[in-house]
Amino acid sequence: MARAQGPYIWDADGQRYIDFCNSWGASILGHAPSAVTSAVARVARRGLSFGTPTEAESILGQLIQKALPSMARMRLVSSGTEAVLSAVRLARAATQREVLVKFSGCYHGHVDSLLVKTGSGALTLSSPDSAGVPPTLAQRTRVLAYNDIEGVKELFRREGQSIAAVIVEPVAANMGVVLPKPGFLEELRAVTTSHGALLIFDEVITGFRVAFGGAQTLYKITPDLTCLGKIVGGGLPLAVYGGRRDLMEWVSPLGPVYQAGTLSGNPVAVAAGIAALTQLKQRNPYKALDHLTAWFVEEIEALAHDAGLSIRINRIGSMWTLFFNNAPVVDLLSAQRSNNSIYSTFFQQLLEKGVYFPPSPYEAAFLTTAHSRAVLKKALTSIEKIFKKLPIQ
């Protein structure tokens, strides 16, 4: 790709696409919104990086804290991966335990101990999911099925005294969008609390996307630690981890958990984050985005029905996934039962018509405040033509 503006992105050959990836959810205001680009240009003229704290970091922190009160203290970093690995290190130090619990299909960045897959059973030791990850490190992670609270309870009955933390996307978005079943997040909160383990919400995608205060505000769950990224940086490399005051006091220089980065909280990225969050707070576009996205996916579902196709669309707010599946998608296993071959054909044909959907069937699609009904109707016209050509399942 060469450039982007509003709901569009242009490739190196000059072809324009309606963008439904939007920097994997980061561009909720559309590409290159003037409020953000102006702030970046203004601050960049004063210097790109100082390697010292700035007043702007405190301003951004206050904006985040008011939106997510669970983040009593926080640290700025440069990527979601860095936020997660820092939160995991902190959790292990604060609990003096080593075992982590994650869920199949949830992605938490390329952190060694979280790039793992299950063994032969849900409660067995895990093995590396990437070259370069030592098996001994992966074996400190347990992988369970998303939405399977009974599996969580059984694991805690067996190993509760060794578990440092459970990390979860409160709304999964890396096996496609998968919503938590009623009670799942509440039960996670209760189980971790009763066993002295920490609950980490990975809101790198859902933070400021599903609501201004993220999924934890929407579902009224208070995690111990939260990881933010994407929208919080306004399109620039910036992420945040934070949580309870007593936990964050473990981080240096107050405590023994070391974490630092030359570009963490650099003034340009912070300026972009402040501008983006200020716009979202002032405009409060979430209800309008929810209604627009609901209309759009309902239109897609109607077109699929008319074409004799079986699809499922999981949605929350302005994030959603289209599965070529005739059954509910509630976890990784049910997502994998989708017809990915048809999705690949669908994606390629959309691309030829100037519509950019997620290339993978396991990724989320997003709408932004720059997507008008007129733009979406153009996309629907292309979708309708392609649906009519796809083989009926």
Side-chain angles (χ1 to χ4, degrees):
M1 296 300 174
R3 66 186 180 95
Q5 183 69 53
Y8 301 111
I9 194 164
W10 285 261
D11 67 19
D13 296 321
Q15 172 67 45
R16 188 184 76 173
Y17 305 87
I18 299 172
D19 187 9
F20 290 103
C21 293
N22 296 289
S23 192
W24 306 110
S27 303
I28 191 171
L29 298 171
H31 290 292
S34 59
V36 176
T37 56
S38 297
V40 167
R42 183 175 62 254
V43 170
R45 287 192 290 268
R46 298 204 294 261
L48 302 179
S49 176
F50 309 141
T52 68
T54 65
E55 182 183 10
E57 289 180 72
S58 296
I59 295 171
L60 178 61
Q62 289 166 1
L63 273 169
I64 294 169
Q65 190 180 77
K66 288 178 181 177
L68 291 88
S70 71
M71 300 181 75
R73 282 189 173 175
M74 66 195 77
R75 293 289 289 267
L76 306 188
V77 292
S78 297
S79 72
T81 291
E82 196 177 347
V84 168
L85 72 85
S86 301
V88 165
R89 181 183 299 150
L90 170 57
R92 282 174 161 156
T95 62
Q96 297 296 291
R97 302 173 182 176
E98 294 189 353
V99 174
L100 299 175
V101 180
K102 64 160 291 194
F103 297 93
S104 297
C106 287
Y107 176 68
H108 305 290
H110 54 94
V111 181
D112 280 356
S113 56
L114 294 172
L115 278 177
V116 299
K117 56 188 174 184
T118 53
S120 58
L123 299 181
T124 60
L125 298 180
S126 302
S127 57
D129 204 21
S130 169
V133 177
T136 52
L137 185 57
Q139 288 169 4
R140 295 189 182 99
T141 302
R142 306 291 181 266
V143 186
L144 300 173
Y146 188 79
N147 273 324
D148 178 14
I149 195 61
E150 292 306 317
V152 175
K153 291 178 179 178
E154 174 61 22
L155 177 61
F156 268 91
R157 280 192 287 269
R158 296 187 184 194
E159 301 186 51
Q161 296 306 308
S162 301
I163 296 173
V166 173
I167 184 167
V168 65
E169 292 179 273
V171 177
N174 287 284
M175 51 182 147
V177 172
V178 177
L179 277 64
K181 289 182 178 178
F184 177 64
L185 298 177
E186 290 84 354
E187 290 279 10
L188 283 183
R189 177 67 283 177
V191 170
T192 49
T193 299
S194 64
H195 286 84
L198 302 185
L199 179 61
I200 304 174
F201 269 14
D202 181 343
E203 294 224 48
V204 168
I205 292 178
T206 56
F208 298 99
R209 166 59 69 172
V210 298
F212 190 70
Q216 59 192 262
T217 300
L218 204 61
Y219 290 104
K220 296 180 173 59
I221 306 292
T222 303
D224 299 299
L225 295 170
T226 298
C227 301
L228 300 171
K230 296 190 185 293
I231 291 172
V232 80
L236 269 66
L238 188 146
V240 186
Y241 74 99
R244 284 176 15 211
R245 181 178 297 271
D246 63 306
L247 293 175
M248 293 303 294
E249 287 179 351
W250 280 79
V251 181
S252 65
L254 297 179
V257 177
Y258 190 73
Q259 174 264 308
T262 299
L263 298 177
S264 296
N266 73 82
V268 181
V270 169
I274 291 172
L277 297 193
T278 299
Q279 282 285 300
L280 289 171
K281 185 176 182 180
Q282 291 175 349
R283 294 172 60 179
N284 191 19
Y286 295 100
K287 186 174 181 179
L289 270 175
D290 179 47
H291 289 167
L292 183 65
T293 311
W295 167 79
F296 184 57
V297 302
E298 286 168 5
E299 291 292 311
I300 294 175
E301 289 169 335
L303 293 174
H305 180 268
D306 292 345
L309 297 170
S310 296
I311 69 167
R312 293 279 173 149
I313 297 182
N314 284 359
R315 181 187 74 87
I316 181 169
S318 58
M319 55 187 281
W320 50 282
T321 298
L322 186 160
F323 299 95
F324 285 95
N325 200 323
N326 58 8
V329 178
V330 298
D331 55 19
L332 180 60
L333 188 60
S334 52
Q336 290 174 329
R337 294 193 183 107
S338 303
N339 192 321
N340 294 340
S341 176
I342 291 181
Y343 185 90
S344 179
T345 301
F346 176 64
F347 165 77
Q348 292 292 343
Q349 292 187 11
L350 274 178
L351 207 61
E352 292 171 5
K353 291 185 178 295
V355 179
Y356 182 43
F357 258 45
S360 166
Y362 301 121
E363 293 284 358
F366 304 91
L367 261 60
T368 75
T369 59
H371 284 79
S372 65
R373 285 205 178 213
V375 168
L376 296 178
K377 285 178 179 178
K378 290 181 181 179
L380 287 170
T381 298
S382 297
I383 291 169
E384 181 179 22
K385 292 177 180 177
I386 294 168
F387 274 173
K388 288 179 179 179
K389 296 179 181 179
L390 293 176
I392 296 176
Q393 300 147 271

